[in-house]
Each structure stands twice: as structure tokens, then as C-alpha cells.
Amino acid sequence: MAPGGGICKDVIESCVAFSEYDMATSSAELRGSPLRKAATGLGGNLGATSTNDVHELLECPVCLNLMYPPIYQCPNGHTVCSICKARVLNSCPTCRNELGNIRCLALEKVAESLELPCGYQILGCNDIFPYYSKLKHEKNCRYRPYSCPYAGAECSVTGDIPYLVMHLKNDHKVDMHDGCTFNHRYVKSNPSEVENATWMLTVFNCFGRQFCLHFEAFQIGMAPVYMAFLRFMGDEDEARQFSYSLEVGGYGRKVIWQGVPRSIRDDHRKVRDSQDGLIIQRNLALFFSGGGRQELKLKVAGRIWKEQ
């Protein structure tokens, strides 16, 4: 329902007036109010009205998300969330009047009274939270979908782990391997080039879980480097149950890295930029490749184990 529709017109034609309204007004005075009808659906003991009316009342007309304080209104009572207020250049998206800085305190009070199901209820979360705690919970909800961990292209696909495993295999043609030890060879004809030098993601099935191996070239300052790191397809708490090691070497020298896999909740670029993995300077990588500067040939070995 548009914010300028029935509920908003009747209930918050002037939210400033409502902000001074005594919420303890007798039930007889409020019985016919749409605001009363919406609120009574929350507790279940004052009426059978669905919370859909309240959701519509709190829905921002621009982004269509639930509004959280500060909630702003124009002189005609049309509301908008604080983020979209800037997006619409302080012009009411419903009537085009100037929004100003008028807070809709009545609607904020309504929000305080709400208890809402998690936004990932359809995915299995049955928890219910006070209105202001809902967003905080959803950022860490274990049912929150994961983003595709493929780093070779911008991919907007999200889903649970089984779905993403099939997506990686079928859509990105990612190599899938079974086992907790691995050996990979990275070959590049022009070791001076660091752009577009990402290995195609490799996924390992180990201990009944999936791990993503990344290997790529990038620059730290002006220095080109190569980096290998592992991400766990699951949450951070689960990731900390595992450890892994990576090593690269040649000609009697060896560099070894040991760490904890990062959850795919952490963006690939975030892990890379944090340098949380095996980093090989280009000169050392060329030495491991045979000392020549014509081609890069690196052998990366790894092992994954579960902590007791």
C-alpha cells in the first residue's frame, strides 16, 4: 500500500500531532483507528488483524524496505526512510513537497512495539525479534544465504551451500576434488602481468565440507606478488574448526604458510587485501620457477585438517 494511501492518510496525516498523542488513550477512542487495528494484530489478544497492515505502514515507498528511525515525513504525512530521504534530494516521493526534517514520531513508536520474524524465515529461521533487533540478527543469522565464492567474475548468485556447490560446478565449471591434500601447478607465460591472473577457483571436498582454493597475482604497493589462500564454505565458527597449510618451493628452498580458512562470508577481495594467506614475492616465485624470467611455474601443495 502506498504511504499516502488509506492507513497513512487516516493515521499519520500529521505525525507531529500523533507524537504528542497520549498512547494511553482509552480503547474506545482508538477502537476505530487503523493504527489500532494494525497494532492489535501484534499481540494476538486484541484482534485478528494481520501484521501485513503494519508492514505496509512501515514500508519505505522508495526502497520498499522496513523503515527504521529516523523516519521522516512531508507536511502531507507521507513518510520515507532516512537513507532514501537523501536519494530523493529531500523531495517527497509521493507528493513532491519538500520533506524537511520532520520526524514521524508516532510511526517510530509503532515500530518499537513490533516483534517480527526473521527475514530468512522461509529458509528455516523461526526466531522472532523486537523490531530494532531484527536487522542485527539478520546480519549474523545462520540461515542467511551465502554469496557465490567465485572470484573470476562478478556473480550475484546466493543460496545455501549445496546449491552453491552445484552452481559452481555447473555454471562456473569449477574443478571439484575429493581429499584433504592437494598439489597444484600454476603456469603463466608472462610473469610481469598481474591483471587477470586469477586461478580458476578449485573446490575440495574434505571432512564432508567444501573448501575453496584461490591463487592469484596482484600488487602490494608497486610490488607484484602471488597469493594462495583457502576459504571455507560455511560460517566463521565452523571455519575455525579447521586448519590448513600451503607450501611452495624449489631448488632446496621452501615457503610454508599455516592458517585457518576464512569463511566465504568474508568477501574474496577482503581476504586477499588482508594478506591472510601464502604470499610469494615475484622474484622468489621466478627463482622457484627455474631462475628464468620467461615463464612462471609454481607448484603449490596443501593440506587441510580438523582441529581436535
Side-chain angles (χ1 to χ4, degrees), residues 144 146-149 214 229-232 234-236 239-240 260-272 274 276:
R144 176 166 57 103
Y146 297 89
S147 297
C148 173
H214 298 270
F229 58 91
L230 207 67
R231 287 199 294 166
F232 172 73
D235 285 327
E236 182 180 352
R240 286 196 289 261
V260 176
R262 297 282 286 271
S263 165
I264 60 172
R265 295 285 192 203
D266 287 337
D267 179 75
H268 154 267
R269 188 177 296 275
K270 176 181 178 181
V271 180
R272 188 198 71 180
S274 70
D276 189 7

Side-chain angles (χ1 to χ4, degrees), residues 44-58:
N45 59 344
L46 296 175
T49 303
S50 168
T51 57
N52 287 342
D53 289 342
V54 181
H55 291 183
E56 292 175 357
L57 186 67
L58 290 168

Side-chain angles (χ1 to χ4, degrees), residues 169-180:
K169 181 178 180 180
N170 297 331
D171 298 330
H172 293 299
K173 310 302 179 185
V174 168
D175 289 334
M176 302 279 178
H177 297 276
D178 293 322
C180 298

